[in-house]
Amino acid sequence: MPGRPCGWFLRVALAAAALLRPEQRACLLVDRSAPRARSQAPGSLKCFLGTLTMEMTDMTGVSLKRGSVAVEDNDSVAPGEAKRQKVSECCPTKGQDGLENNSLPSGETVPGPPETAGEGKKNSDPQLEEEGEEDGLSEEGEEEEEAESFASMMKHGLTELDVGITKFVSSHQGFSGILKERYSDFVVHEIGKNGQISHLSDLSVPVDEEDPSEDVFTVLTAEEKQRLEELQLFKNKETSVAIEVIEDTKEKRTIIHQAIKSLFPGLETKTEDREGKKYIVAYHAAGKKALANPRKHSWPKSRGSYCHFVLYKENKDTMDAINLLSKYLRVKPNIFSYMGTKDKRAITVQEIAVLKITAQRLAHLNKCLMNFKLGNFSYQKNPLKLGELQGNHFTVVLRNITGTDDQVEQAMNSLKEIGFINYYGMQRFGTTAVPTYQVGRAILQNSWAEVMDLILKPRSGAEKGYLVKCREEWAKTKDPAAALRKLPVKRCVEGQLLRGLSKYGLKNIVSAFGIIPRNNRLMYIHSYQSYVWNNMVSKRIEEYGLNPVPGDLVLKGAAVTCIGEDDVNNYSIHDVVMPLPGFDVIYPQHKISEAYREMLTADNLDIDNMRHKIRDYSLSGAYRKIIIRPQNVSWEVVAYDDPKIPLFNTDVDNLEGKPPPVFASEGKYRALKMDFSLPPSTYATMAIREVLKMDTSIKNQTQLNTTWLR
C-alpha cells in the first residue's frame, strides 16, 4: 500500500486490539479466519483494520455503531406519539431520505428518497443524480481513514447526559452485555397495517398466464443486454438497437420481444427484414419519460398495478436496498414504496411495493443478489405509504452478559410490566463532535452564519480523511468551490451545502442551505425538538415520579386534555404525554411548563412564537407518550461457547429447513435473547438501556472498555 509501511498498519492494529476485551479479540480473529485470496498481502491489514474499527464499536453494554438499533421514525405517531391537526415535527415526513437513525451524521451520503410510487415527483435536488460520482472512498481516502486515532473516539462526542437522557423507571441492578457483536444478533420484523408481523415464508411466484417464460432471462447475450441498457438510459447516440434472430421461428422472436420489454421498461420492439435476415429492433417508445413510467398498455388490466413482496435483507438499510433493486431491474427508485425505513447493521424483514414489475422478475433477483431474499408476492391495487405500519418486532441477542439469572429476570419483568422512558435515542443527535440539535437550534434562531459554521468548521474526533481536508480548506479560504474539490463524495451534507454556497454566495446562506433535501434539513430542527423533549421528560420524572399528577397532559382520541384533581386516579403513567415545542401545542399545567419556557429562553427562542420566517422551519409541535410498555415480551438466557454461532434461526434458515440451535446447560458465555414489539417512533436502544442500566453513547461505552482494561 503506497505511503504506509506494512509495519505501521500492524502497530496501529495491535494498539487498537489492546482496547478490546480478550473474548472480543478472540472473536475478531476467529471471525476473519476463513481462507481468502490475498490473505497474506499487505491489503489484508486494511481489511483487518476496517474490521477492528467495526468491532471496537461493539463494546460492553450496547452497540456503538452509527445509527444502531434505532426504530425508524416513520410518518406515523400513534400510539407512541400523537399528531395534532395536520403536522407533526417529531417524525420525518413522507419521502424522508431513509436515514434509519433520523439524525444527519456528518459525511453521510444523502440519497434522494424513493417517493411513493405513481406520484411522479422529481428529486428535490437534481444535482444528486450527477453522473460518474463515486459513492465510496478512493484508495487514498481509505488509507487516510485507517490513520484515524481510536483514542480520539473516546475524547469527543455526546453522552446521554448531554441530550437529557438521565432517568430509569426500574429499580433492578444493571449488568453488561454486548449488542450487535454480529449483525445477525439483531433482527427486525415489520408489523404491517393489519397488525401481522411480516415474515419471509414463501418464495414461490403467483401463477399468472400473462407472465413470459423463464427464457426471457437467458435469450439475450451479455453484449446485447449492455447495448439495450445504454439505449434505455440514453447513454449513447443510438436511436435503436437491432438484434439478429439466429434461429428464426415465431416462438424465438416472441421470446426476444418479451425479454426486451420485460427487462428494459420504456423500450418498444418491432421485427424487420434486413438483407434476408430477421432482426428485432428496440427503440424508445415515448422519449425519456418512458424510463420512469413502465409501459402501461403491457400490464394486464385484471392484475393489480403494484406487486407487493416481503424483502429480507442482511446488513443493508432500506434505501441502499431499494437503490440496488432499482439498478438490477433497470428502473427508477421512485416506483418503490414502503411503510418505514430499517436499520443497516441488522437482519430486517419488511414489506415493499413496486409499480408494474412482475413477481417473476422480482423472484429472478434471488439468483443474482447476496444477502437478499424476496418472497410472499401478491398483486395489489395500491402502493404502501410511510407511516402505515403499526410498529416493529425485535429479536435481539445480548452476548456475554454478566447479570445473574435473578438480575435478568427482574430487568425483563420490569420491561414487560412497566416499560421504559420513551427518550429519543442517541442516534437522533448525530455521532460527531457537533450535535445535530445545535444546528437545529441555530436554524430556529435564524442564525444562518452559525448554521454554516457548525456544518463546515473543523471538528474534533475521528472523521474521514477527505472531510478533514475539506474542513481545513474551508477554514483557511472560505472558498466553497475549493473546499468542494476536496470531497470525492459530494452527496454528503457538507458537499451539498458547499454546492449551494458556490451557487448562491456567502451572503445567501438560506438559499444555499435549501439545496439540501427538505427532509434532511428538517431533521436538524426535529433533533432540537427531541433534545428539549428528553430534558423536559427527565425533569418531569424527577419532579413527580412515575404517577400521573394534576396538570399532566393525556390524549382523549385525537385531542389533548389536562388532568384535573378529580380524575387523576382515572389515568396511569402510560397515558401521560409531553409536548414537543411548537406553536400548536399546549404545555403541562405544573412546574414543567415553566421549565420549557426557561429552556427555550436560554436558547434565545420564544416559546410563545414558534413560527419561523421560513415556513418549512415553523414548528407546530406534537405530543409523545413518556413511558412505552413493549408488547409480546419474551426472553431466555442461553449458554454458548463459540462467539460465531447464531443463537436463533432467521426466516431464511427456516425456509432452508435448518434445525433451530440446541444449547448446552453450561457454556463459556451466556447470552440474553429478547423478543419484543414496539410502536412506531420509539427506539429499541432505550428499551435495552433500561434492561442493562448503561449509557448507550459511543463516548461512554468506549471509556468503560478502556477503564476495564486498566
Side-chain angles (χ1 to χ4, degrees):
M1 189 175 295
R4 298 290 187 189
C6 183
W8 180 88
F9 286 111
L10 186 57
R11 287 195 298 275
V12 173
L14 292 173
L19 296 177
L20 299 177
R21 291 182 175 182
E23 62 269 18
Q24 290 173 314
R25 291 197 292 270
C27 175
L28 179 63
L29 294 172
V30 170
D31 273 341
R32 310 298 172 230
S33 62
R36 294 188 182 193
R38 299 170 53 204
S39 62
Q40 301 304 316
S44 63
L45 283 172
K46 180 195 289 189
C47 223
F48 174 76
L49 281 170
T51 299
L52 192 56
T53 306
M54 186 180 296
E55 295 295 333
M56 274 288 295
T57 64
D58 289 332
M59 295 180 175
T60 306
V62 297
S63 169
L64 313 184
K65 284 286 167 209
R66 178 174 302 186
S68 65
V69 198
V71 181
E72 301 68 21
D73 285 356
N74 306 294
D75 188 22
S76 172
V77 289
E81 187 166 328
K83 285 184 180 179
R84 195 166 195 266
Q85 294 186 5
K86 293 183 180 179
V87 183
S88 169
E89 271 70 39
C90 56
C91 303
T93 54
K94 180 177 176 181
Q96 78 173 50
D97 71 326
L99 290 175
E100 66 281 6
N101 55 13
N102 299 303
S103 66
L104 211 51
S106 168
E108 289 294 299
T109 57
V110 186
E115 296 159 19
T116 301
E119 289 185 354
K121 294 181 183 177
K122 293 183 179 179
N123 195 306
S124 56
D125 183 4
Q127 297 184 64
L128 292 183
E129 297 181 8
E130 294 175 349
E131 294 280 341
E133 185 174 309
E134 294 275 303
D135 281 337
L137 294 179
S138 63
E139 235 180 81
E140 179 184 356
E142 288 176 336
E143 289 174 23
E144 289 165 345
E145 188 176 12
E146 289 158 4
E148 296 296 340
S149 166
F150 289 108
S152 65
M153 291 174 62
M154 300 180 218
K155 297 176 183 176
H156 309 283
L158 296 170
T159 65
E160 289 184 348
L161 180 62
D162 295 326
V163 295
I165 301 173
T166 60
K167 302 297 180 184
F168 295 96
V169 300
S170 58
S171 58
H172 74 270
Q173 183 180 349
F175 53 91
S176 70
I178 303 172
L179 176 61
K180 290 196 180 183
E181 184 170 348
R182 301 167 59 83
Y183 66 77
S184 54
D185 285 347
F186 194 85
V187 178
V188 186
H189 289 267
E190 194 171 70
I191 303 174
K193 52 187 175 182
N194 60 359
Q196 297 296 310
I197 298 174
S198 293
H199 282 280
L200 183 73
S201 57
D202 183 5
L203 300 181
S204 66
V205 175
V207 176
D208 192 331
E209 294 178 0
E210 301 282 350
D211 283 339
S213 70
E214 283 291 322
D215 292 336
V216 300
F217 299 110
T218 57
V219 70
L220 298 171
T221 67
E223 182 184 353
E224 288 167 345
K225 288 180 180 178
Q226 179 68 27
R227 291 175 61 205
L228 288 164
E229 181 175 1
E230 290 175 356
L231 174 67
Q232 181 201 35
L233 300 178
F234 298 90
K235 287 188 175 181
N236 55 33
K237 295 181 180 179
E238 288 187 73
T239 57
S240 64
V241 168
I243 295 171
E244 183 181 354
V245 184
I246 305 298
E247 301 170 10
D248 184 18
T249 64
K250 184 177 180 181
E251 291 75 15
K252 184 66 175 287
R253 293 197 303 272
T254 300
I255 291 171
I256 296 175
H257 282 292
Q258 289 177 336
I260 294 172
K261 293 174 181 178
S262 177
L263 299 178
F264 301 93
L267 296 185
E268 278 287 6
T269 58
K270 60 185 177 181
T271 303
E272 288 186 359
D273 282 307
R274 296 182 182 181
E275 299 177 354
K277 296 180 180 180
K278 292 282 189 182
Y279 287 84
I280 306 297
V281 179
Y283 60 95
H284 275 285
K288 292 191 177 184
K289 290 183 179 179
L291 179 60
N293 299 301
R295 299 166 61 258
K296 294 181 180 178
H297 60 271
S298 68
W299 193 264
K301 293 181 179 179
S302 59
R303 180 198 286 166
S305 294
Y306 296 88
C307 185
H308 287 230
F309 61 96
V310 170
L311 175 64
Y312 168 102
K313 57 190 182 298
E314 299 181 359
N315 208 29
K316 221 34 155 189
D317 68 37
T318 301
M319 286 303 310
D320 287 341
I322 285 178
N323 288 333
L324 191 61
L325 294 177
S326 303
K327 177 181 176 182
Y328 274 83
L329 293 167
R330 301 181 181 90
V331 296
K332 290 289 184 71
N334 65 356
I335 69 171
F336 289 86
S337 58
Y338 51 90
M339 293 183 287
T341 57
K342 298 289 175 282
D343 193 16
K344 176 181 178 180
R345 189 165 167 79
I347 291 175
T348 60
V349 182
Q350 67 181 117
E351 188 176 354
I352 305 286
V354 61
L355 176 64
K356 293 185 177 178
I357 299 291
T358 65
Q360 186 183 33
R361 283 186 68 191
L362 293 167
H364 186 70
L365 296 179
N366 287 331
K367 303 174 184 177
C368 312
L369 299 174
M370 292 183 62
N371 300 327
F372 281 79
K373 284 291 181 187
L374 290 70
N376 297 80
F377 302 103
S378 65
Y379 293 107
Q380 309 285 340
K381 292 181 179 179
N382 299 309
L384 296 169
K385 294 181 181 179
L386 280 168
E388 286 184 326
L389 81 169
Q390 290 194 15
N392 293 286
H393 183 79
F394 296 85
T395 302
V396 179
V397 169
L398 300 175
R399 291 182 183 251
N400 198 18
I401 60 169
T402 60
T404 65
D405 288 348
D406 283 345
Q407 283 178 289
V408 170
E409 196 74 12
Q410 289 176 27
M412 293 306 299
N413 275 320
S414 174
L415 182 69
K416 182 177 181 178
E417 294 167 11
I418 303 174
F420 62 96
I421 303 172
N422 194 19
Y423 286 125
Y424 288 96
M426 297 302 296
Q427 310 89 296
R428 185 78 163 184
F429 307 102
T431 56
T432 66
V434 178
T436 50
Y437 73 80
Q438 290 183 6
V439 180
R441 178 168 55 202
I443 293 170
L444 294 174
Q445 292 169 343
N446 224 26
S447 302
W448 292 101
E450 184 181 356
V451 171
M452 177 178 68
D453 186 52
L454 286 169
I455 294 174
L456 296 177
K457 70 179 181 180
R459 54 186 65 176
S460 304
E463 195 169 49
K464 293 171 182 174
Y466 61 81
L467 269 174
V468 173
K469 287 186 176 182
C470 171
R471 296 186 192 286
E472 289 173 349
E473 182 68 27
W474 171 255
K476 182 171 64 177
T477 66
K478 288 294 187 286
D479 181 347
L484 193 60
R485 285 194 291 271
K486 301 291 183 181
L487 288 178
V489 181
K490 295 178 174 58
R491 296 181 185 180
C492 59
V493 172
E494 292 83 355
Q496 291 173 329
L497 178 56
L498 288 168
R499 213 156 50 211
L501 292 170
S502 297
K503 181 176 180 179
Y504 295 105
L506 299 181
K507 293 185 178 179
N508 192 354
I509 301 171
V510 174
S511 295
F513 185 71
I515 274 189
I516 299 170
R518 179 177 182 272
N519 290 290
N520 298 88
R521 288 182 274 124
L522 294 183
M523 281 185 196
Y524 286 119
I525 57 175
H526 296 161
S527 177
Y528 178 73
Q529 285 182 301
S530 305
Y531 167 72
V532 172
W533 193 90
N534 279 359
N535 278 279
M536 292 300 98
V537 167
S538 292
K539 283 185 178 293
R540 158 64 182 78
I541 291 174
E542 181 178 351
E543 188 71 33
Y544 299 111
L546 293 175
N547 292 307
V549 297
D552 274 336
L553 303 178
V554 293
L555 290 172
K556 284 189 174 180
V560 174
T561 186
C562 187
I563 298 178
E565 293 277 0
D566 298 336
D567 58 352
V568 68
N569 293 327
N570 296 329
Y571 299 99
S572 76
I573 194 65
H574 299 98
D575 300 313
V576 176
V577 298
M578 293 270 283
L580 286 96
F583 62 77
D584 201 21
V585 295
I586 61 174
Y587 293 88
Q589 295 181 15
H590 47 51
K591 292 180 181 179
I592 304 306
S593 178
E594 188 57 33
Y596 271 97
R597 183 175 297 276
E598 290 173 359
M599 185 171 185
L600 268 65
T601 300
D603 286 339
N604 295 316
L605 295 172
D606 183 358
I607 196 171
D608 299 316
N609 182 18
M610 297 301 289
R611 296 185 186 274
H612 197 277
K613 293 179 181 178
I614 301 169
R615 185 177 178 181
D616 270 356
Y617 309 136
S618 290
L619 302 179
S620 65
Y623 300 95
R624 180 176 175 90
K625 287 193 172 183
I626 69 173
I627 302 292
I628 290 292
R629 184 161 44 197
Q631 301 298 307
N632 307 312
V633 179
S634 64
W635 67 93
E636 64 175 325
V637 176
V638 298
Y640 65 102
D641 291 312
D642 184 354
K644 292 199 311 179
I645 64 166
L647 299 183
F648 58 89
N649 272 7
T650 65
D651 284 357
V652 169
D653 292 333
N654 292 332
L655 275 171
E656 294 174 351
K658 290 185 180 178
V662 178
F663 303 107
S665 56
E666 294 184 3
K668 188 176 180 181
Y669 308 109
R670 293 163 64 248
L672 170 59
K673 177 177 172 287
M674 311 162 57
D675 279 272
F676 55 90
S677 299
L678 294 177
S681 189
T682 53
Y683 287 74
T685 35
M686 295 296 99
I688 294 165
R689 168 187 181 269
E690 185 68 40
V691 171
L692 296 173
K693 291 284 188 78
M694 296 186 71
D695 188 323
T696 60
S697 65
I698 293 175
K699 180 176 180 179
N700 187 67
Q701 294 300 314
T702 311
Q703 288 173 338
L704 283 173
N705 254 293
T706 308
T707 304
W708 180 86
L709 287 165
R710 286 174 184 166

